[in-house]
Amino acid sequence: MIEPIYEDNPQKVKMIPKPSTLRLLFQIPVIVAALGYFVDIYDLLLFSIVRVQSLKDLGVSDADMLTKGIYLINMQMGGLLIGGILWGILGDKRGRLSVLFGSILIYSLANIANGFVTSVDQYAILRLVAGIGLAGELGAGITLVAEVLPKEIRGYGTSLVASVGLLGAVLAYFIAEQFAWRNAYFIGGGLGLLLLVMRVSVFESGIFTKVKEQSVSRGNFLHLFSSQKQFFKYLRCILIGLPVWFVAGILMTFSPEFGKALNVDVPIVAGKAVMWEYIGLAIGDLSSGILSQYVGSRKKILFLFLVLTAVLITVYLFVPLHSEVMFYAVCSCLGFGVGYWALFVTIAAEQFGTNLRATVATTVPNFVRGSINIMTPLFLLFKEHLGLVSGAGLLGFITITIAFLGLWKMEETFGKDLNFLEE
């Protein structure tokens, strides 16, 4: 049983699960969602880790390394935008499990094919296809876990999924260190195909199954724009996640360039920076989930982590850290600061009814990831006029400010019953 401890405000209730209740966290859907996200992150971040080596092998010069890297990242993130809408609608129309199966199959096959590329254009097309596949995993997994678990421990479940999943970046780094980049792609694809075997034993959300039997519109993406109130509720969910991908997509992906500009004593390896960031991110995600359960608020913890992120971006860019060790330490701390990713996706899932929940939970994180297509041109523009470091600083300030504005009037969803529909 779960014993709620009520405070002065009954809406703020700390749910402290007994050990017996924690067994619910290790149901098959939660385990598969966590492992699915683990493989998802492995494949998503693998390009950032092997970017330099793979492009060199394809004949790209050092002078073109940054622009070609941005081109490929934009293709991957463009795929995430397309896939986010596709899988989100499918998740509400056909079910959460359909998305888990289809997305894993597509990104697994695409990543195996990545190991055979012979040109940058082939690489770009396959990163686009992989991005479409990768777009479905997180939203479907978080939606399924949020609907399967009791509301009192929902935050623990989604944090567990994200924390385990984010460690996929660590595995990607070690695999890339031990194997050639082509083999690293083969391994990622193989892991995804193995995951499909586990997916067979996963059961569908009971909440969704009941809604499926009703004559109600499901997965209507345009319904999110049907009113000003609905649109701004959806927009806020996206805006609060922008700093996460600014850190991952700009500061970590191009960490070798930042290390050089900041006069770090040895060349920075992008893969190592990503690994340390994601170790911090996994710890941060677990911490933010536990803290939100303890405090009884999603918004307060998200605000705290946004403030921490703003401070750490400033340290990364403007505090003279010439030591390699200190640079990677700040990368890890930055990861912890943006470790509200699971909280952010959970909030998005909790904001909307069952007939739109998968659409929102799938499109929101992918629109955030896809925002790199806006961030990178701005980054290059600011870099041209202000320099690499100051340009990144201005972009970071903009993303943090936008995130605070998104959080400002957002509804508190802690402990919210998810058995409702959007009319």
Side-chain angles (χ1 to χ4, degrees):
M1 296 293 293
I2 299 171
E3 297 179 347
I5 302 175
Y6 294 93
E7 298 179 337
D8 295 335
N9 183 351
Q11 297 301 316
K12 289 184 177 180
V13 51
K14 300 177 187 177
M15 302 295 184
I16 312 297
K18 288 184 175 182
S20 58
T21 307
L22 294 177
R23 289 198 300 269
L24 291 171
L25 292 177
F26 297 97
Q27 297 180 56
I28 290 295
V30 180
I31 294 172
V32 171
L35 293 177
Y37 192 39
F38 181 91
V39 179
D40 175 296
I41 289 296
Y42 174 100
D43 289 332
L44 183 66
L45 272 294
L46 186 58
F47 171 71
S48 293
I49 293 171
V50 302
R51 171 179 65 98
V52 174
Q53 186 57 54
S54 62
L55 290 178
K56 280 184 178 179
D57 285 356
L58 293 175
V60 176
S61 65
D62 290 341
D64 292 333
M65 194 64 66
L66 181 63
T67 54
K68 293 296 185 183
I70 288 175
Y71 165 55
L72 288 166
I73 287 174
N74 284 345
M75 289 293 284
Q76 176 175 293
M77 297 309 164
L80 288 166
L81 287 175
I82 297 168
I85 297 173
L86 172 67
W87 296 119
I89 293 172
L90 187 63
D92 280 323
K93 287 188 176 294
R94 297 291 301 275
R96 289 51 168 140
L97 297 187
S98 298
V99 174
L100 285 177
F101 180 82
S103 64
I104 292 170
L105 181 62
I106 289 176
Y107 74 64
S108 297
L109 295 177
N111 277 288
I112 290 172
N114 266 263
F116 294 104
V117 299
T118 57
S119 71
V120 172
D121 288 334
Q122 289 178 5
Y123 207 173
I125 291 170
L126 287 171
R127 289 323 298 160
L128 174 70
V129 175
I132 292 173
L134 290 164
E137 179 67 42
L138 176 61
I142 290 292
T143 301
L144 182 62
V145 169
E147 292 179 344
V148 166
L149 292 179
K151 64 182 180 180
E152 295 85 359
I153 61 171
R154 187 189 306 143
Y156 294 122
T158 55
S159 294
L160 179 65
V161 169
S163 299
V164 172
L166 291 168
L167 292 176
V170 180
L171 177 64
Y173 169 73
F174 284 113
I175 292 295
E177 282 286 294
Q178 298 298 321
F179 299 91
W181 65 272
R182 294 182 187 275
N183 291 335
Y185 277 119
F186 295 150
I187 291 170
L191 289 173
L193 294 177
L194 285 174
L195 188 64
L196 287 178
V197 178
M198 290 191 65
R199 175 249 176 244
V200 174
S201 59
V202 179
F203 53 86
E204 184 59 89
S205 156
I207 291 177
F208 173 77
T209 302
K210 290 179 182 178
V211 170
K212 194 174 181 180
E213 295 171 353
Q214 302 176 27
S215 57
V216 60
S217 174
R218 304 192 311 274
N220 184 356
F221 181 67
L222 295 179
H223 185 65
L224 296 170
F225 308 92
S226 61
S227 68
Q228 187 179 36
K229 179 181 178 182
Q230 195 84 327
F231 170 70
F232 279 108
K233 181 168 70 167
Y234 181 60
L235 183 61
R236 290 187 194 101
C237 292
I238 297 171
L239 297 182
I240 60 175
L242 294 181
V244 179
W245 213 251
F246 166 73
V247 171
I250 300 294
L251 298 187
M252 296 300 115
T253 298
F254 302 110
S255 54
E257 288 82 358
F258 282 109
K260 185 176 180 181
L262 295 168
N263 300 313
V264 177
D265 54 6
V266 298
I268 294 299
V269 179
K272 190 177 290 187
V274 169
M275 179 194 72
W276 282 111
E277 187 227 350
Y278 271 74
I279 289 175
L281 191 54
I283 297 171
D285 259 321
L286 191 61
S287 301
S288 64
I290 292 173
L291 285 171
S292 74
Q293 291 292 124
Y294 179 76
V295 173
S297 170
R298 310 279 193 231
K299 288 182 66 175
K300 286 182 179 179
I301 301 305
L302 208 150
F303 177 84
L304 176 65
F305 274 69
L306 278 176
V307 171
L308 180 59
T309 299
V311 172
L312 289 167
I313 288 173
T314 304
V315 172
Y316 178 96
L317 292 172
F318 300 110
V319 175
L321 301 169
H322 303 308
S323 161
E324 174 194 24
V325 173
M326 290 301 297
F327 185 90
Y328 288 131
V330 173
C331 290
S332 188
C333 291
L334 258 176
F336 183 87
V338 293
Y340 63 86
W341 182 249
L343 201 60
F344 140 75
V345 181
T346 303
I347 288 172
E350 292 173 337
Q351 293 280 335
F352 291 84
T354 306
N355 55 323
L356 274 177
R357 187 166 299 125
T359 300
V360 172
T362 305
T363 55
V364 163
N366 286 303
F367 280 179
V368 170
R369 289 164 167 173
S371 68
I372 199 71
N373 289 316
I374 299 173
M375 289 189 199
T376 46
L378 286 175
F379 173 52
L380 292 175
L381 177 65
F382 296 160
K383 171 179 172 289
E384 182 179 346
H385 290 88
L386 301 173
L388 182 75
V389 174
S390 297
L394 176 58
L395 184 58
F397 173 78
I398 292 171
T399 57
I400 288 288
T401 302
I402 289 174
F404 277 121
L405 290 174
L407 183 63
W408 180 28
K409 291 190 176 181
M410 179 168 280
E411 175 193 354
E412 175 62 69
T413 57
F414 178 82
K416 185 176 182 179
D417 187 351
L418 298 188
N419 193 12
F420 69 98
L421 299 174
E422 294 292 331
E423 300 296 335

